Amino acid sequence: HLLDTIDRSTCLGVRDYAIYALMYLCGLRIGEVFGLDLTGIDLKTKEITVTGKGKRIRTLHLSDELFQILSEYLAVRTFFYQNEHRNALFISKKGNRLAIRTMEDNFKKIILKSGLQTRFNVSCHTLRHSFASHLNDKEVDMLVIKSLMGHSTTRSTEIYIHPSMQKV
């Protein structure tokens, strides 16, 4: 529901949808999305290379859904100012690498627009928690979740797991 409230009829909306879909569907940190470059995406093999904490590099497979979302964004990215001079995957309307603060502010606007009511603060990082929790609900092995999230131990991953009421 949250992602569906993003207006994808504009270039900025397509960009923002791609950003938050990446965070949710790959469990990426906002800093990892910020650091993504065009050279880190291989559309032929459907893989994306991510630099995580401690400069650890991991390669993630793009689902068909995420491949489509990124392909749509890359098609409209050509309309952004100075796009041909930037290696950053996500750029602002002024042609600079999109700032973390801008991603956070835009996400807050999306949450307000969605009317989402929660008992906790929702942020970009909540998408990472949702990623881990939803994989856990689908009975994905903890070691797989750990690897996808770029953690060095399962103890780090366990912090992100919040079983659904249905699972409980």
Side-chain angles (χ1 to χ4, degrees):
H1 171 72
L2 186 64
L3 293 179
D4 287 341
T5 62
I6 299 172
D7 178 11
R8 292 169 50 186
S9 66
T10 68
C11 292
L12 294 177
V14 171
R15 179 202 64 197
D16 289 349
Y17 188 83
I19 289 169
Y20 306 119
L22 256 174
M23 287 182 188
Y24 172 65
L25 295 172
C26 286
L28 299 187
R29 298 173 181 96
I30 195 166
E32 292 171 337
V33 172
F34 171 78
L36 289 173
D37 289 325
L38 290 172
T39 53
I41 297 179
D42 188 335
L43 294 178
K44 288 184 179 82
T45 61
K46 292 186 176 182
E47 292 178 333
I48 187 166
T49 301
V50 179
T51 304
K53 280 187 174 180
K55 303 229 187 256
R56 285 191 299 249
I57 296 173
R58 68 187 187 281
T59 301
L60 302 172
H61 179 75
L62 298 174
S63 66
D64 291 339
E65 177 185 14
L66 195 48
F67 174 81
Q68 183 63 38
I69 292 167
L70 286 176
S71 295
E72 289 172 13
Y73 167 65
L74 291 171
V76 301
R77 186 184 181 280
T78 61
F79 298 111
F80 283 74
Y81 182 71
Q82 296 276 328
N83 73 82
E84 66 278 0
H85 301 294
R86 301 288 184 245
N87 189 36
L89 176 58
F90 295 109
I91 54 177
S92 69
K93 55 186 167 187
K94 293 181 180 178
N96 300 314
R97 184 178 292 269
L98 189 65
I100 289 175
R101 180 63 185 258
T102 303
M103 288 185 237
E104 292 170 335
D105 290 346
N106 289 347
F107 191 70
K108 285 178 188 173
K109 291 174 189 171
I110 292 164
I111 291 170
L112 286 174
K113 184 179 175 188
S114 75
L116 183 67
Q117 299 292 318
T118 64
R119 292 175 291 214
F120 54 89
N121 182 39
V122 177
S123 67
C124 292
H125 202 67
T126 305
L127 297 173
R128 185 167 163 83
H129 283 261
S130 297
F131 167 78
S133 296
H134 293 159
L135 288 179
N136 183 62
D137 283 349
K138 292 178 183 176
E139 314 256 337
V140 174
D141 187 273
M142 183 67 73
L143 293 174
V144 173
I145 300 172
K146 172 186 93 72
S147 175
L148 292 171
M149 295 184 77
H151 289 151
S152 55
T153 68
T154 55
R155 291 181 102 183
S156 298
T157 306
E158 289 170 356
I159 296 166
Y160 286 84
I161 305 293
H162 312 284
S164 66
M165 291 305 294
Q166 185 177 14
K167 178 122 177 170
V168 171

